[in-house]
Amino acid sequence: MSLLHFAILAPFIYAIAVPFFRKYIRGVHTGWFVLPVPALLFAYFISRVPDVQGGHKELSTVQWIPSMDLNFTAYLDGLGLMFALLITGIGALVVLYSIYYLGKDKEAIHSFYVYLLMFMGAMLGVVLSDNLIVLYGFWELTSLSSFLLIAFWNERAKSRYGAQKSMLITVFGGFAMLAGFVLLYIMTGTFSIREIIGSLDVVTGHALFLPAMLLVLLGAFTKSAQFPFHIWLPDAMEAPTPVSAYLHSATMVKAGIYLVARMTPVFAGAAEWFWLVTGVGLITLIWGSFSAVKQTDLKAILAFSTISQLGLIMSLLGMGSAAVYYGLSDESALYTKATLAAVFHLINHATFKGALFMVVGIVDHETGTRDIRRLGGLINFMPITFTFALIGSFSMAGLPPFNGFLSKEMFFTAALNVMHLEIFNVETWGILIPVTAWLASVFTFVYSMILVFKTFTGKYQPEKLDVKPHEAPLGLLLPPAVLISLVIVFGLFPNILSYRIIEPAMASILPSLLMPGDIFEVKIHFWHGWTDEIFMTIGVIALGMLLYLLLDRWSGLYGKLPQKLTLNTFYDRGLFYLDRWANRGTRSYMTGSVRDYLIYIFTFMILILGYVLFRTDSVRWYSGELAEISIYEFVLVLVMVAAALAVPFARSRVTAIILVGAVGYIVTLFFVILRAPDLALTQMIVETVSVALFLLCFYHLPKLKKEMSHMRFKLGNFLVAAGVGAIMTLIALSANDTRLFTTISDYFVEGSYELSGGKNVVNVILVDFRGFDTLLEIAVLGIASLGIFAMIKLRLERKNPAAALTSSSKPDKGSKRRKGRSA
Amino acid sequence: MKTNDVILQTVAKVVVFLILTFSVFLFFAGHNNPGGGFIGGLMTAAALVLLALAFDLQTIRKVVPVDFRKVMAIGLMIALLTGIGSLVLDVPFLSHTFGHFDLPLLGDTELATATLFDLGVYLAVVGVTMTIILSIGEDH
C-alpha cells in the first residue's frame, strides 16, 4: 500500500467523517472541513510532477483477488498525473465555491460533500488504475456518484429525470466497456493495461480486436457525451452548479477522453479507430456547437458547449492516432501535433469551462434566473463577474491572447495536416474534416458571444428579475478568479505546461513513437506566422460576428427543425415503448390463470421430453421378457380405465368424486394382486380419507352460480393431455426396456432379517434402511396438518380483508374464490 | 332434529376397542408382518373418528383429553431422538440395532430400536390425522 493508493482512497475514507462534522460542528460550513482533502491531494500530485517529467513511472500493487488476476494496481504516469491534477485542483476550487454557493442550513450539505468526495476518489481511481476491472469499478462509482449529485435536489421531478437518464446511458456504456475489457482479457490473458500494451502483437489482428474496440469506444462515447449519447448531459444541468462545473465540464465527462487516450496504444493504427474517434468527435463537435446557439438557458448553452468541446478533443485524439500507423518515422511527427492539441485543449477546456460554469452560478445566485431572455445589462452591477465571463468566453471562442486561441490554432493545424494523410481513405473524405472543424468554430464563436453579451450587455430588465442583482461575495469570485488567471497565464506562457505536463502525458498516449529515454519535444508558439490557420481564425471571427449580429434574422431556423426527430424524443419514446411493450409482453402470457400456466408447463414438458427422447433415439418397444398378464389384472385395468375415462364426462361433481375414489380402490386391489399388503392397507385408508375430504370441499362450495354442467371440451387441453399421456407412456416403456443394472432389492430381501431383525421387508426399509426418508415424510405430514390448522383457525383473511388484497392490486377471480369458500 | 343414535353408540362402544386393539396389533406386527406405525396410526385415528361420529367432538375431547398437535410433536421428537441416539454411540445417524432378550412373562422377545422409531411415526400419524379432522370438524 503506497502513498498513491492512499491518495486514491483518501476521499472515500474522509467521506465517512463528513456527516459527523455536519452533526457536531454546525456552526461552521462543512465544506471548510472538506476543502483540505483536494488541496492536500493537489499538493501531493504537484510534488510528483518532477518525477514523472523525468520519465519515472510509479507503480505499486495491492493484492485484491490475485487468483483472478485482479489487483489494485496504482500507476502514475504523465496522463494519469495530468488528470489527477485536474481532478484535485478543480476539485479544491469547486469545494471552495460550493461553500459560498450552498447554504449551510437550507441544504443537506453533508450528503453533498459525501457524494462529491466519493466522486473525487472514484475519478482518481479511474485515472490511476492499471487494472481494467478496478478501473471499471471506479468508473461505475463515478456514474453512481454523478447520479446522486444530479438528483441532489431530489424533490424536483426534472432532477430525477436527468439523474435517471444519465444513469441509464452511462451505465449502458459502462457495461459495454466491461465487455470490451473482458474481450481484451481473453486475447491477452491479463487485465493490466501495461501488460496488454506489452503484448500488442497478440491483440492486433486478433478476431476479437474489432469487437473489443467497439465496446470500449461505446463506453468512452457514452461517458464523454459523444453523439448520439450526448443527450444526458444537458439534462444533468439540474445538478447544483458546483457539480455541473466539476463533473459535467472538467472531470467526469473527460473520463471517456481519458479512456480513449489510455487505449490509444492498444487500438490506434487501425482505420476503424481513426475514423470512429475522429468522425464521432467531429459530429459531436458540430452538432454540439450548432445546438448550443439555440439554447436560452445559460447552463444549457454551457452543456452543449461542453459536448462540442469534448467532441473537439475526441476528434483530435482520433487524428493523432494516425501517427501510430507510421510508427517511428518523420511522417508521424506531423500527426502527433493533433495529440498535443488534444492534451493542451483538455487542460484549457477544464480551466475556462469550469470558470464559466462558476460565473453562470454566480449570475443564477445573484439574479435568481439563468434565462438569457430575462437577463441583460448586468455589466453595471457585476463588473468582476462580467470580466471573468468575457475572458472565459473569448478563450472558448478561440480568440487571442487566451489559451483557447492556441489550442484552436493547433486544432486547425491538425485538421489541415490530416488531409495529407495517405491512409484510411482520407483522400476522399478528408476534406470534410477541416471544413467541419471550421464551421463548428463559427458556431462556437456565436454562442460564446451570446453567453457573454446577452447576459451582461443590452437592456437591463429589472421587471423580469425577482431580486436586485449585485456583485457576488469574494468567496464566490475567488475560484473563478483562479481559473481565469490560469486561462490568461496558459495563454501567454503555454510552455509552463508543455515540459512538465504535456510531454509526459503525450509519452503515455503514444509510447510506440518514442525510443527508450526519448521525450516529445513540445514547444507551443504563441505566434506562428501568417499561416492558413490564422486566416481560418480570421474567417471564423468575421463570419461569427456576422451571424451573431444577424441572429434574430436566422434563429427562426431552429424552430423549423422537426421536433419529432430529436434524439431526446427518440430516447423518451424508446423508454416509453420499451416499458409498454415489456408490459404487454408480460401480460400476454402472465394471465393470472392457473390453467394457462399449467398449459405452458405441460407443453414445455411434452416438447422438451419429446425432443430429447427422439433426438437421442431412445424410444424403445418392449423386447425383453415380460410377466404374463393374469385375468385379474386384465379385468382390473379395464374397470380402472373405464372409471378414469368416465371422470371428465361426469355430469355432477359427486359422480366425479366417486369415480376418482373407485380408481383409488382399484389401485388398492392392484397392490393386493401385486403382493404389496402394506401399500394396499395404506392406500385404502388414504383413499377413504381423501374421498371424504373431497366430499367435504364439495359440500362447502358457494351456493351462488352453482353450475351442474359437465366440462366443456377444449381442443388445446385435449391435445396437451393426450400429449402428456403419450410422452409419459413412451418414457415408461423405453425406460423399462433399458435397464442398465440389476436392482438393489435382493440386498434388502436378504439383509432384512439378518441386519435388522425384521421379516417385513417394506417396513424394515421404511424404518431402518431408509428411515431418514420416513423421518422427513412424517415431518411433511406434520407441516401439512399445521397448515390446515392455521388456515382454518387463524383466518387472516376474514379479520383483515385488506391484507389479502394487497398481494394483487385488483380483486381478481382467485381472491373472490377464496372469500367464497370461507363464507 | 336430534336423532336417536343408540344402536350406533352402543356398537361404537364395543367396536372402538376392537379397532384400537387391531391398530395396536398392526403397530407391533409391523416388523415381521404387514402393518407398522403408519397404518397403526391411521387405524387408531379411525377408531377416534368412529367415536366422533357416534357421539360428538366434545366427547372425543373429554375421552381423549390430549392436544393432538402435541401428540404429533412428540411423535416427531421420538423419531428424531431415535436417530440422534445413535450419534451418542458414535454410529451414523438413524443406525438401528436389535437383540433377543429373555423377559419375564413374555419369554424370548426380540427388541429393536426400529420399533421406537415406528412409535414416533405412529404418534405423528395419529396427531396429524386427528389435527386435520378436528380442525375441519370444528370449523363453522
Side-chain angles (χ1 to χ4, degrees):
Chain A
M1 190 104 178
S2 66
L3 205 55
L4 197 57
H5 281 109
F6 186 72
I8 297 172
L9 296 178
F12 292 109
I13 299 164
Y14 199 77
I16 299 171
V18 167
F20 294 102
F21 287 123
R22 161 79 165 171
K23 191 169 163 62
Y24 293 110
I25 314 177
R26 286 198 73 100
V28 186
H29 196 287
T30 313
W32 290 113
F33 298 108
V34 177
L35 188 58
V37 179
L40 283 175
L41 286 176
F42 184 70
Y44 165 71
F45 284 118
I46 282 283
S47 75
R48 304 312 310 267
V49 169
D51 271 3
V52 173
Q53 190 190 351
H56 174 76
K57 285 167 185 151
E58 187 175 335
L59 179 83
S60 71
T61 302
V62 171
Q63 296 217 321
W64 180 32
I65 313 175
S67 60
M68 298 180 73
D69 191 23
L70 296 181
N71 294 310
F72 183 14
T73 306
Y75 179 61
L76 187 73
D77 63 350
L79 187 65
L81 182 66
M82 179 182 74
F83 271 95
L85 284 173
L86 280 180
I87 292 160
T88 51
I90 297 183
L93 293 175
V94 161
V95 170
L96 180 61
Y97 182 79
S98 70
I99 291 171
Y100 291 92
Y101 189 82
L102 292 172
K104 185 171 61 180
D105 303 314
K106 276 185 290 180
E107 314 276 7
I109 46 173
H110 53 298
S111 313
F112 179 81
Y113 287 113
V114 167
Y115 303 156
L116 201 70
L117 282 173
M118 200 167 110
F119 170 78
M120 194 182 293
M123 201 63 209
L124 284 175
V126 166
V127 299
L128 297 177
S129 291
D130 181 57
N131 192 293
L132 285 174
I133 298 297
V134 176
L135 191 153
Y136 170 74
F138 282 120
W139 182 280
E140 293 296 24
L141 262 182
T142 64
S143 294
L144 180 68
S145 47
S146 162
F147 170 79
L148 292 169
L149 283 167
I150 295 170
F152 179 64
W153 289 312
N154 53 31
E155 68 282 356
R156 299 183 190 169
K158 281 180 95 175
S159 296
R160 297 196 300 269
Y161 171 78
Q164 189 205 35
K165 195 177 193 177
S166 73
M167 186 75 164
L168 284 177
I169 294 177
T170 53
V171 168
F172 161 74
F175 277 142
M177 190 182 82
L178 178 65
F181 288 171
V182 171
L183 291 186
L184 279 175
Y185 179 78
I186 293 171
M187 284 187 269
T188 59
T190 174
F191 280 123
S192 160
I193 298 173
R194 282 172 314 112
E195 287 169 26
I196 290 174
I197 295 171
S199 53
L200 269 187
D201 44 331
V202 188
V203 181
T204 322
H206 197 284
L208 293 176
F209 177 74
L210 197 59
M213 178 205 287
L214 293 177
L215 288 168
V216 169
L217 275 183
L218 204 56
F221 288 166
T222 49
K223 196 76 163 182
S224 276
Q226 298 295 300
F227 190 88
F229 306 110
H230 64 273
I231 50 173
W232 66 266
L233 189 59
D235 284 304
M237 291 301 132
E238 294 300 323
T241 302
V243 173
S244 309
Y246 187 36
L247 275 70
H248 306 130
S249 73
T251 51
M252 187 181 90
V253 287
K254 295 202 171 109
I257 304 275
Y258 168 80
L259 188 71
V260 169
R262 187 52 99 194
M263 286 294 162
T264 294
V266 182
F267 294 115
E272 294 90 352
W273 177 267
F274 173 83
W275 274 114
L276 270 174
V277 179
T278 314
V280 170
L282 283 173
I283 295 171
T284 314
L285 166 65
I286 186 124
W287 183 252
S289 60
F290 177 69
S291 304
V293 177
K294 71 172 170 184
Q295 306 301 323
T296 53
D297 180 9
L298 288 174
K299 271 175 98 173
I301 297 179
L302 288 179
F304 278 104
S305 149
T306 304
I307 292 167
S308 152
Q309 305 274 318
L310 290 171
L312 190 155
I313 301 170
M314 194 66 92
S315 68
L316 281 171
L317 283 176
M319 295 176 206
S321 75
V324 179
Y325 180 85
Y326 289 106
L328 283 166
S329 66
D330 293 340
E331 282 148 316
S332 70
L334 206 56
Y335 307 109
T336 53
K337 281 183 185 160
T339 310
L340 163 66
V343 173
F344 189 44
H345 193 69
L346 186 100
I347 301 169
N348 293 343
H349 177 251
T351 54
F352 67 70
K353 192 53 64 69
L356 283 174
F357 265 109
M358 290 174 182
V359 163
V360 166
I362 290 171
V363 171
D364 188 12
H365 206 257
E366 303 305 329
T367 64
T369 181
R370 299 193 307 251
D371 193 332
I372 51 172
R373 288 166 300 190
R374 293 168 65 190
L375 294 168
L378 293 179
I379 185 167
N380 295 324
F381 302 97
M382 319 167 100
I384 305 173
T385 316
F386 166 69
T387 316
F388 293 164
L390 189 76
I391 296 172
S393 298
F394 277 22
S395 177
M396 182 158 74
L399 299 180
F402 308 114
N403 57 5
F405 171 70
L406 300 174
S407 45
K408 179 140 302 180
E409 295 300 289
M410 287 152 72
F411 173 51
F412 285 155
T413 313
L416 290 172
N417 282 342
V418 163
M419 287 213 307
H420 306 303
L421 208 59
E422 285 159 356
I423 47 169
F424 309 150
N425 298 326
V426 175
E427 55 271 17
T428 46
W429 292 95
I431 186 70
L432 279 178
I433 295 173
V435 171
T436 320
W438 186 77
L439 268 179
S441 297
V442 174
F443 284 115
T444 306
F445 183 87
V446 174
Y447 72 69
S448 300
M449 295 306 116
I450 291 176
L451 185 73
V452 59
F453 289 116
K454 293 263 178 189
T455 312
F456 290 98
T457 61
K459 213 168 129 277
Y460 172 53
Q461 300 160 300
E463 72 280 359
K464 288 188 182 173
L465 297 179
D466 304 330
V467 288
K468 189 168 160 50
H470 53 80
E471 189 55 88
L474 184 66
L476 275 181
L477 288 174
L478 191 62
V482 173
L483 288 174
I484 287 298
S485 50
L486 283 179
V487 169
I488 300 169
V489 169
F490 291 160
L492 296 177
F493 310 104
N495 291 322
I496 296 176
L497 288 174
S498 13
Y499 312 125
R500 295 180 180 84
I501 309 287
I502 297 178
E503 283 175 5
M506 283 180 69
S508 320
I509 300 174
L510 304 168
S512 63
L513 300 183
L514 285 179
M515 298 295 281
D518 209 0
I519 54 162
F520 283 102
E521 293 204 358
V522 174
K523 188 135 183 83
I524 301 168
H525 300 282
F526 187 74
W527 174 249
H528 42 75
W530 291 103
T531 52
D532 295 343
E533 296 88 354
I534 207 83
F535 291 114
M536 281 170 81
T537 304
I538 291 169
V540 165
I541 295 170
L543 188 62
M545 292 285 257
L546 197 67
L547 282 178
Y548 174 67
L549 293 174
L550 300 176
L551 192 62
D552 295 338
R553 300 263 184 90
W554 63 279
S555 61
L557 184 75
Y558 283 106
K560 291 199 174 67
L561 293 174
Q563 283 297 308
K564 279 194 176 173
L565 290 179
T566 59
L567 286 163
N568 268 322
T569 325
F570 185 71
Y571 166 85
D572 290 335
R573 289 267 171 122
L575 270 193
F576 175 74
Y577 281 115
L578 185 70
D579 189 46
R580 195 154 99 174
W581 288 336
N583 213 338
R584 275 189 195 167
T586 311
R587 276 192 195 173
S588 67
Y589 66 91
M590 297 300 282
T591 54
S593 156
V594 177
R595 196 172 295 188
D596 289 343
Y597 302 154
L598 286 177
I599 285 184
Y600 305 152
I601 293 168
F602 285 131
T603 311
F604 276 98
M605 189 176 125
I606 295 168
L607 292 178
I608 291 168
L609 289 182
Y611 175 78
V612 172
L613 205 57
F614 287 102
R615 180 66 204 255
T616 56
D617 204 21
S618 318
V619 185
R620 298 268 190 289
W621 303 103
Y622 27 69
S623 55
E625 280 184 34
L626 295 167
E628 260 182 55
I629 302 172
S630 70
I631 182 76
Y632 303 110
E633 286 161 326
F634 189 73
V635 172
L636 281 180
V637 165
L638 276 186
V639 178
M640 186 158 78
V641 167
L645 280 180
V647 173
F649 298 101
R651 269 190 184 281
S652 81
R653 287 185 174 130
V654 178
T655 322
I657 294 168
I658 301 293
L659 284 169
V660 170
V663 173
Y665 286 120
I666 296 169
V667 171
T668 310
L669 287 179
F670 262 114
F671 287 147
V672 173
I673 290 178
L674 299 174
R675 285 170 294 166
D678 289 277
L679 288 185
L681 279 170
T682 315
Q683 168 72 17
M684 189 169 68
I685 297 176
V686 169
E687 192 60 40
T688 313
V689 171
S690 45
V691 168
L693 285 176
F694 268 127
L695 288 171
L696 191 75
C697 290
F698 171 75
Y699 181 75
H700 284 291
L701 276 179
K703 299 278 180 287
L704 320 152
K705 207 184 160 200
K706 194 185 267 180
E707 284 176 42
M708 298 299 277
S709 66
H710 62 87
M711 250 171 57
R712 272 170 300 158
F713 179 77
K714 281 188 189 145
L715 185 65
N717 292 1
F718 175 75
L719 287 178
V720 167
V724 170
I727 279 290
M728 292 319 290
T729 311
L730 269 182
I731 290 175
L733 288 177
S734 310
N736 194 43
D737 200 57
T738 37
R739 187 159 285 175
L740 298 174
F741 31 74
T742 54
T743 64
I744 197 176
S745 54
D746 292 339
Y747 168 79
F748 288 136
V749 173
E750 284 163 16
S752 170
Y753 191 73
E754 281 161 31
L755 294 172
S756 185
K759 289 175 189 144
N760 181 351
V761 182
V762 173
N763 194 270
V764 167
I765 291 175
L766 282 180
V767 298
D768 197 340
F769 287 130
R770 296 208 182 143
F772 200 58
D773 294 355
T774 311
L775 182 63
L776 295 179
E777 273 158 23
I778 55 175
V780 167
L781 285 179
I783 292 165
S785 73
L786 286 181
I788 291 172
F789 177 78
M791 208 165 70
I792 290 173
K793 298 285 178 185
L794 299 180
R795 284 263 168 81
L796 286 172
E797 208 175 325
R798 187 185 284 170
K799 279 182 197 155
N800 183 10
L805 291 176
T806 43
S807 56
S808 57
S809 54
K810 56 176 185 185
D812 53 281
K813 284 178 198 158
S815 66
K816 264 186 208 152
R817 215 176 287 150
R818 272 204 302 279
K819 265 195 261 171
R821 194 186 287 171
S822 64
Chain B
M1 191 184 74
K2 179 85 179 113
T3 51
N4 193 347
D5 289 337
V6 69
I7 297 177
L8 178 62
Q9 291 179 347
T10 315
V11 170
K13 280 175 192 165
V14 181
V15 171
V16 161
F17 285 101
L18 287 178
I19 301 176
L20 280 177
T21 315
F22 181 55
S23 78
V24 173
F25 167 75
L26 275 178
F27 170 69
F28 281 112
H31 218 45
N32 292 316
N33 290 303
F38 199 84
I39 303 160
L42 284 174
M43 273 294 165
T44 307
L48 295 175
V49 169
L50 178 61
L51 213 54
L53 289 174
F55 298 92
D56 56 7
L57 293 173
Q58 282 75 30
T59 317
I60 301 243
R61 291 269 185 233
K62 220 184 292 167
V63 173
V64 195
V66 291
D67 184 347
F68 286 103
R69 275 169 290 145
K70 284 179 188 156
V71 173
M72 177 182 78
I74 291 167
L76 285 172
M77 194 52 77
I78 290 175
L80 188 66
L81 285 176
T82 319
I84 292 173
S86 55
L87 292 181
V88 176
L89 300 173
D90 207 21
V91 283
F93 183 67
L94 266 177
S95 299
H96 288 303
T97 182
F98 69 99
H100 291 267
F101 300 94
D102 205 13
L103 295 178
L105 288 178
L106 293 172
D108 179 37
T109 314
E110 183 196 324
L111 290 181
T113 51
T115 311
L116 271 178
F117 183 80
D118 231 10
L119 179 67
V121 176
Y122 173 85
L123 290 176
V125 170
V126 172
V128 164
T129 319
M130 291 314 291
T131 306
I132 294 175
I133 288 169
L134 291 182
S135 301
I136 295 175
E138 286 170 353
D139 182 35
H140 297 291

